[in-house]
Amino acid sequence: MSARALRRVVLGVGGGIAAYKSVSLLRLFTEGGHDVRVVPTAAALRFVGEPTWSALSGHPVTTDVWSSPDEVPHVAIARIADLVVVAPATADLLARAASGLADDLLTNVLLTARCPVLMAPAMHTEMWEHPATQHNVETLRRRGIVVLDPDEGRLAGQDTGKGRLPDPEVIHTVALSLLHPVPSGPLTGRRAVISAGGTREPLDPVRYLGNASSGRQGVALAEAARDLGAQVTLVAAHVEVDLPEGVAISRVSTAAELQQAMRAAAVDADVIVMAAAVADFRPEVVAERKIKKGPADPAPLRLVRTVDVLASLAADRPAATVLLVGFAAETGDADGDVLHHAERKLLAKGCDVLVVNDVSGGRVFGSPENEVVILRRVGDTVVTAAEIPQQRKSLVAHAIWEVLIPLLASVSSASTVSAERLTLSGTSH
Ligand code: CTP
């Protein structure tokens, strides 16, 4: 392991029931070769004791600044840290950090540290939603601290709701991206254009035809590409998640707008990923005024096809200048199973790679997890490039890039491709 790989991490632990999950987080850091100093609050030690933290980190553990004052522990710990991660961050800890209090070792470290700081809150839903907590989170984020949103799910006692500590693997992934602010990565020098979310086709000023896509997988792909060094443009239709920082964003609503934005962004892209769920049909006529109920039966809705953005990108690109990746949402039917339909779709669309989701029974849409098969076109045949098992969409995103990165090696760099060669035909509906 290179000396650079060994980084010094301070793991702050707040006094919440989720403190036990930080034991796994500690393991993930130490198994990755990082040197971790655990700084719990006094309340955290009620949940997980000092011997656990010191045995697993290999360092003594203390909660206050008085144990060995001659060493000025908060300064010593904070100055050499490459990263501070606080998990779980309780409402109390967020409040103390936001107001700059320094009444224990952890808050002293937070005031002294000049490295990136990541906080992963966990608490009951009401406490998270309270304006005081939200205000504290805003304050911390304004100061550049990365504060994760808690997950939804089972909380302490019988409660469920928003307030659950994100999985240690997720906190670890985000932490690593802060620890290695990728001056160079496998996608450095590459331009990635990624679409995400569901398009909407208006019926009248208040109604639309839409779909259940949350945009999570596309947004996760954009974040992962950014963290791997790419210059990213995210063409975002309607998404239910926060849009990432550090990527160029183009907002769209309809399939036609999506096509226009993709066309503009595709000009100097190395890789295009169509993760958006695009409406295949739109109302033939969009009513200028709200369609009223009235006594008669509603007029039948006449639909017409929208443009197939992916197929049009594939049809108009010069060969081998860009890696074109589609997604497929399939359920399987009497004509064939999910993979049968996916293989046909890959050949019909003319893209290079197809990421296949089995969406039967409402799976995938809106879920934080995903499971995909990646198909690759080789001439007129289709091969399976990877099967990625069920896991969080952020991890699926990284696994997808692992497959795409070697394929990109055969794509000439975007800077060598002239704009005219990539000009797409102006199909629009
Ligand atoms: N796609 C597109 N434009 C459309 C429809 C789909 O660019 N009008 C893209 C999607 O972004 C995705 C891929 O095509 O990358 C496959 O989308 P999917 O919804 O699985 O398939 P459809 O092409 O809509 O075909 P069908 O609904 O018949 O399965």
Side-chain angles (χ1 to χ4, degrees):
M1 179 176 309
S2 72
R4 171 139 178 84
L6 179 76
R7 310 294 291 272
R8 294 199 173 90
V9 178
V10 172
L11 177 59
V13 186
I17 186 74
Y20 78 92
K21 292 191 190 168
S22 281
V23 175
S24 311
L25 185 57
L26 170 58
R27 295 301 303 244
L28 289 171
F29 280 120
T30 54
E31 282 166 11
H34 303 295
D35 182 40
V36 188
R37 293 290 303 245
V38 182
V39 183
T41 62
L45 293 185
R46 289 171 170 256
F47 294 96
V48 180
E50 184 272 335
T52 305
W53 299 121
S54 54
L56 293 179
S57 67
H59 289 292
V61 165
T62 172
T63 63
D64 60 47
V65 289
W66 306 114
S67 310
S68 43
D70 51 316
E71 289 168 14
V72 202
H74 62 288
V75 177
I77 293 173
R79 277 215 184 124
I80 58 165
D82 294 304
L83 175 72
V84 177
V85 181
V86 182
T90 58
D92 175 69
L93 192 49
L94 292 171
R96 287 191 290 136
S99 37
L101 288 180
D103 50 1
D104 62 5
L105 181 56
L106 181 53
T107 45
N108 271 276
V109 166
L110 286 170
L111 278 183
T112 317
R114 292 294 175 267
C115 59
V117 176
L118 170 66
M119 301 183 90
M123 63 198 74
H124 275 276
T125 312
E126 294 84 343
M127 296 174 81
W128 169 251
E129 287 174 350
H130 195 284
T133 304
Q134 288 301 307
H135 179 72
N136 292 330
V137 168
E138 255 176 57
T139 304
L140 293 165
R141 284 179 176 159
R142 258 202 320 275
R143 287 184 200 144
I145 291 178
V146 179
V147 184
L148 296 179
D149 270 349
D151 274 359
E152 301 223 4
R154 184 83 194 269
L155 304 172
Q158 297 306 307
D159 289 354
T160 56
K162 189 157 185 163
R164 200 176 144 88
L165 188 72
D167 286 345
E169 289 79 8
V170 173
I171 302 173
H172 182 244
T173 305
V174 178
L176 290 188
S177 72
L178 297 176
L179 197 52
H180 303 283
V182 194
S184 68
L187 288 176
T188 300
R190 296 291 195 178
R191 272 213 62 216
V193 177
I194 298 161
S195 70
T199 59
R200 289 180 183 173
E201 300 298 333
L203 272 146
D204 69 13
V206 292
R207 304 184 180 92
Y208 58 83
L209 293 180
N211 60 66
S213 169
S214 67
R216 276 193 178 82
Q217 189 62 77
V219 168
L221 277 163
E223 287 171 333
R226 173 201 62 196
D227 295 343
L228 293 165
Q231 199 189 335
V232 181
T233 298
L234 175 64
V235 177
H238 294 272
V239 301
E240 287 170 14
V241 288
D242 290 340
L243 293 176
E245 288 179 6
V247 310
I249 302 216
S250 169
R251 298 300 309 247
V252 298
S253 186
T254 63
E257 288 169 10
L258 179 78
Q259 189 203 25
Q260 220 175 28
M262 291 304 290
R263 221 175 119 172
V267 167
D268 57 356
D270 295 288
V271 51
I272 298 174
V273 184
M274 276 293 299
V278 191
D280 291 321
F281 307 99
R282 64 178 174 82
E284 187 177 34
V285 179
V286 181
E288 261 177 47
R289 295 172 190 282
K290 188 180 170 199
I291 302 166
K292 301 296 281 178
K293 280 196 287 293
D297 284 343
L301 198 56
R302 270 193 55 83
L303 299 176
V304 291
R305 289 282 291 271
T306 57
V307 60
D308 188 322
V309 183
L310 178 62
S312 77
L313 288 167
D316 294 315
R317 72 180 165 156
T321 50
V322 65
L323 186 68
L324 193 52
V325 182
F327 266 65
E330 298 290 350
T331 59
D333 56 23
D335 292 336
D337 63 7
V338 167
L339 281 182
H340 167 82
H341 284 293
E343 282 171 19
R344 292 180 55 168
K345 191 173 279 182
L346 174 51
L347 294 174
K349 296 256 181 187
C351 52
D352 305 301
V353 174
L354 196 69
V355 180
V356 186
N357 280 303
D358 179 349
V359 292
S360 29
R363 280 198 280 174
V364 181
F365 286 123
S367 157
E369 296 200 336
N370 201 2
E371 177 185 7
V372 301
V373 175
I374 302 182
L375 301 181
R376 199 184 145 204
R377 184 169 56 83
V378 183
D380 288 341
T381 58
V382 175
V383 294
T384 301
E387 292 180 8
I388 298 170
Q390 173 100 5
Q391 55 199 306
R392 296 190 70 87
K393 285 180 174 171
S394 54
L395 301 177
V396 171
H398 276 276
I400 292 173
W401 282 115
E402 256 176 51
V403 174
L404 299 182
I405 285 164
L407 301 180
L408 257 172
S410 58
V411 173
S412 58
S413 172
S415 54
T416 64
V417 180
S418 76
E420 304 105 80
R421 290 178 67 210
L422 271 174
T423 301
L424 306 166
S425 74
T427 1
S428 68
H429 293 262

